[in-house]
Amino acid sequence: MPKDFQSTDLLKDFYKEWIAIYKEGAIRDVTLSKYKMSLIWVEKLAPQLRLCDISRVEYQQIINDYAKEHERQTTMDFHHQLKGAILDAVDEGLVPRDPTRKVIIKGKIPSNKKIKYLNQFELHSLLKSLTLEDEVSWDWFILLLAKTGMRFSEGLAITPNDFDFAHQTVSVNKTWNYKEGGGFSPTKNKSSVRKIQIDWQVVMQFATLVKDLPADKPIFVRDNKVYNSTVNDILVRYCKKLNIPVISVHGLRHTHASILLYAGVSIASVARRLGHASMTTTQKTYLHVIQELENQDIDLVMRSLSNLL
């Protein structure tokens, strides 16, 4: 490492330098910010801990103290981020042996976060009430997200070139970095790069809407400043006016997935459409829907078996 660290140097200083060398410029800004947040917690929880003094007990205490304020999964993420740096310190001979071995991950009990989404009738009411005129508007954006299940940043990055009207698809291959002043950015992960099949109505509507727009420029970004709250406010007004559950722009994604699952679309297909890295993510996120469908399956099995007599 550029700085000639000694085993008597502080963990927080080593970790700060390690992030600068191995993570800055190599990972997405949103991920880098998580490492920097982990650094803040290391500075808070172990301000005077030297590299040579990191034992299994000391490391476990850091994890335990962090877990007092965070859920188990967040604690696990913190552990993995810090562990990477410490293992490098072990390789450099700055830490005598791996103190992260056999660590016990604790954490606060997750709060019961109920996902907000609309049922098919409610979504139909919302889409029917949109004002879809000849000019690009946030109402068109709401329609696109509801029909594709895209993430907010993915929808912002869509250009006319991303549509393949002949094959009825729209390609997701980038995002719009709306949190940091704009500009195209990579997708969340490799699985997020995908082609989403769209229905003929969306094809006809967007073929007309984008025909005179610059082919490689974002359809919905007028200038670099775009705010999530802008679309959320529009959605809130529509939902209240229609007397349906108030959802956020991310709730459109949940609505899209839930409606597909209730329609009998496989978890694997929904995961691919959403750009999830694995089906496990889809199963965890939509567990309530899957459990409800399983209960319906049990009723169907019982009725089928009773008809055999």
Side-chain angles (χ1 to χ4, degrees):
M1 301 181 76
K3 182 182 184 309
D4 188 17
F5 275 97
Q6 305 295 320
S7 63
T8 51
D9 287 329
L10 299 177
L11 168 63
K12 65 178 185 179
D13 295 334
F14 179 84
Y15 190 42
K16 183 177 182 180
E17 185 81 3
W18 183 87
I19 292 172
I21 293 170
Y22 291 106
K23 298 303 175 182
E24 288 182 5
I27 56 178
R28 296 169 71 237
D29 288 342
V30 65
T31 308
L32 180 62
S33 66
K34 292 177 182 177
Y35 275 90
K36 290 184 175 179
M37 183 56 69
S38 293
L39 172 61
I40 291 171
W41 275 97
V42 170
E43 291 171 339
K44 178 181 177 181
L45 299 176
Q48 300 302 319
L49 182 61
R50 301 183 303 173
L51 292 170
C52 59
D53 294 331
I54 308 175
S55 62
R56 283 184 59 200
V57 172
E58 288 285 350
Y59 185 77
Q60 184 69 62
Q61 190 59 56
I62 293 172
I63 298 300
N64 289 352
D65 290 343
Y66 183 88
K68 291 175 184 176
E69 304 292 331
H70 299 86
E71 294 180 4
R72 189 178 186 280
Q73 184 56 55
T74 310
T75 305
M76 180 69 80
D77 294 340
F78 172 74
H79 158 61
H80 283 307
Q81 289 172 354
L82 183 54
K83 177 182 177 180
I86 290 177
L87 290 183
D88 279 353
V90 172
D91 289 343
E92 293 290 324
L94 301 173
V95 177
R97 60 187 64 82
D98 179 11
T100 69
R101 191 172 63 89
K102 294 185 178 180
V103 68
I104 305 298
I105 304 298
K106 304 174 184 178
K108 292 164 64 177
I109 297 172
S111 56
N112 190 13
K113 298 169 187 155
K114 187 159 176 70
I115 292 174
K116 291 188 176 180
Y117 64 94
L118 304 178
N119 62 33
Q120 191 159 358
F121 173 77
E122 292 162 345
L123 179 62
H124 177 71
S125 299
L126 172 62
L127 298 186
K128 201 174 177 183
S129 69
L130 295 177
T131 304
L132 303 174
E133 298 177 335
D134 294 339
E135 296 292 318
V136 172
S137 67
W138 289 121
D139 283 35
W140 281 108
F141 184 73
I142 289 169
L143 175 68
L144 182 65
L145 263 58
K147 287 290 190 93
T148 62
M150 286 184 202
R151 299 175 178 94
F152 180 70
S153 59
E154 293 173 344
L156 290 177
I158 293 298
T159 68
N161 272 345
D162 293 322
F163 285 98
D164 182 346
F165 296 119
H167 295 94
Q168 293 188 210
T169 63
V170 57
S171 294
V172 177
N173 47 49
K174 57 195 174 303
T175 61
W176 187 257
N177 191 6
Y178 68 96
K179 291 182 179 177
E180 297 180 4
F184 290 122
S185 291
T187 55
K188 186 174 182 180
N189 50 52
K190 288 182 180 179
S191 302
S192 297
V193 177
R194 63 203 187 277
K195 287 187 177 182
I196 302 174
Q197 207 74 32
I198 51 179
D199 63 73
W200 66 268
Q201 272 185 312
V202 171
V203 168
M204 299 294 288
Q205 289 168 313
F206 275 84
T208 302
L209 183 69
V210 307
K211 65 179 184 349
D212 296 324
L213 297 179
D216 59 349
K217 295 286 192 297
I219 297 168
F220 298 101
V221 179
R222 304 287 171 83
D223 53 50
N224 283 349
K225 289 187 178 179
V226 181
Y227 301 99
N228 188 286
S229 57
T230 303
V231 187
N232 282 335
D233 289 345
I234 294 170
L235 271 172
V236 167
R237 286 199 296 272
Y238 272 124
C239 292
K240 287 183 176 178
K241 181 181 175 183
L242 297 166
N243 198 26
I244 60 177
V246 174
I247 62 168
S248 65
V249 65
H250 197 67
L252 291 171
R253 180 169 163 85
H254 291 317
T255 296
H256 182 82
S258 299
I259 286 174
L260 293 181
L261 289 168
Y262 279 124
V265 178
S266 70
I267 296 173
S269 294
V270 173
R272 280 195 298 271
R273 194 169 173 89
L274 295 179
H276 282 163
S278 72
M279 282 192 292
T280 305
T281 304
T282 315
Q283 289 170 321
K284 283 181 180 178
T285 307
Y286 301 102
L287 183 62
H288 60 293
V289 178
I290 293 166
Q291 287 175 337
E292 192 173 326
L293 291 170
E294 284 177 348
N295 290 336
Q296 292 176 12
D297 285 344
I298 291 170
D299 292 340
L300 180 60
V301 169
M302 291 300 101
R303 285 201 303 273
S304 300
L305 290 176
S306 63
N307 290 335
L308 294 175
L309 294 176

